[in-house]
Amino acid sequence: MTERIYYKDAYQTAFEARVERCEPTEGGYALILDRTAFYPEGGGQPCDLGVIIPSDMPCGPVRVLDVQEKDGEVVHLADGPVLPGSAVRGEIDWPRRLTHMREHSGEHILSGIICHTFDCSNVGFHMGKDFVTVDFSRALTEDEIRQAQRAANEKVLEDVEIWAEYPDAQTLQRLKYRSKKELTGDIRIVTVP
């Protein structure tokens, strides 16, 4: 099971790892590392991109073209092979990651305000190359949108710390949280004070 560095430190841009598997696949090579800071696509958020640099430079750096979660593993689609067992250094594209972090945090803030203030649910979220969309369970009026936008901008300007935690099952039962689906396993709760 791959250690997921991005859950421990979203600001870590480089890391050391070992290649567990490398298999040819459509579009490149599927690399499984023992640990990674590359965030996989999911929950409406695009994956991280970057490079993986083997310690034994004969094969040179490979570009990470896509990152997906499959059967509990984080799969890095690379444009070249890396020998299993090789020590590597991963480097994520930080400007891309930072943009996605800001957009995703903004979605949490805006959705939280809209759900709390106007009693409707977030039913969809997508971060595209040129824009972000959020779908709600009912149409909002222009006035409601302006009010929510103003409140979200005020919250961003407060520069409050955003908390991310994994409460135990007993604590989770007492929490009120937003989710469109039944969740299992470790549940990550994001709170904006």
Side-chain angles (χ1 to χ4, degrees):
M1 184 67 85
T2 305
E3 177 188 348
R4 297 163 190 248
I5 300 166
Y6 47 83
Y7 281 145
K8 297 175 186 166
D9 183 0
Y11 293 90
Q12 187 165 338
T13 62
F15 64 97
E16 306 296 322
R18 187 157 304 281
V19 177
E20 292 187 343
R21 293 194 315 273
C22 176
E23 300 164 355
T25 188
E26 185 177 331
Y29 293 83
L31 299 178
I32 307 292
L33 308 178
D34 65 344
R35 57 196 311 264
T36 188
F38 284 94
Y39 189 87
E41 178 182 25
Q45 183 166 325
C47 68
D48 286 326
L49 302 178
V51 295
I52 294 176
I53 307 163
S55 297
D56 58 348
M57 286 305 285
C59 63
V62 297
R63 288 183 306 130
V64 175
L65 309 171
D66 190 19
V67 184
Q68 298 290 322
E69 184 173 350
K70 184 176 181 184
D71 300 326
E73 296 284 3
V74 178
V75 181
H76 308 74
L77 177 65
D79 67 353
V82 181
L83 284 172
S86 296
V88 296
R89 176 179 173 83
E91 296 178 359
I92 65 165
D93 176 342
W94 175 245
R96 177 182 166 95
R97 158 75 70 83
L98 185 59
T99 294
H100 292 158
M101 287 171 57
R102 288 174 172 166
E103 290 172 344
H104 202 151
S105 295
E107 179 274 330
H108 281 289
I109 293 168
L110 184 65
S111 290
I113 288 167
I114 289 173
C115 293
H116 176 75
T117 307
F118 303 116
D119 194 32
C120 62
S121 299
N122 171 323
V123 295
F125 170 56
H126 174 73
M127 293 170 54
K129 182 176 180 252
D130 298 318
F131 56 87
V132 175
T133 61
V134 185
D135 302 316
F136 293 97
S137 58
R138 71 167 177 84
L140 298 167
T141 68
E142 289 295 324
D143 186 55
E144 289 171 330
I145 292 169
R146 275 192 297 280
Q147 184 180 341
Q149 184 179 27
R150 189 171 32 259
N153 286 336
E154 288 171 6
K155 184 54 66 177
V156 169
L157 290 174
E158 286 178 28
D159 196 26
V160 296
E161 181 179 2
I162 296 175
W163 306 323
E165 59 189 330
Y166 294 89
D168 60 42
Q170 188 177 26
T171 303
L172 192 61
Q173 284 182 334
R174 293 191 310 263
L175 291 176
K176 182 180 178 186
Y177 61 93
R178 297 179 294 115
S179 178
K180 8 182 215 300
K181 59 184 179 180
E182 188 66 34
L183 302 173
T184 58
D186 289 337
I187 310 298
R188 185 170 184 242
I189 299 294
V190 176
T191 304
V192 179

